[in-house]
Amino acid sequence: LEESMALVPAAERPAVRKAVLDAFAAGPGGTYDCTHGLLNPETGAERVVRAQGRVLEAPDGGLYMLGATLDV
């Protein structure tokens, strides 16, 4: 999560982090849907993306998120 969050503009990180953590707190079936800026790590240019995900349960009982990010 921290590696991905480094690419989100600092002002937007708290809201994006909360959306992801809320999805995990909901457990399997929890969803994440957030539109936010994303920084290009090479140029620093910002673009707006819509990130969506669903929390799934692994065979060992752990949780993970399957997601997609769409350019807006």
Side-chain angles (χ1 to χ4, degrees), residues 2-55:
E2 293 309 313
E3 187 176 313
S4 298
M5 291 302 294
L7 300 177
V8 175
E12 296 180 67
R13 287 180 194 155
V16 173
R17 183 182 314 279
K18 181 178 182 328
V20 171
L21 294 177
D22 286 351
F24 275 100
T31 60
Y32 164 78
D33 189 345
C34 191
T35 300
H36 59 84
L38 191 65
L39 302 172
N40 180 309
E42 294 179 16
T43 68
E46 182 179 341
R47 65 185 331 147
V48 176
V49 296
R50 180 177 180 194
Q52 298 176 296
R54 176 175 296 274
V55 177

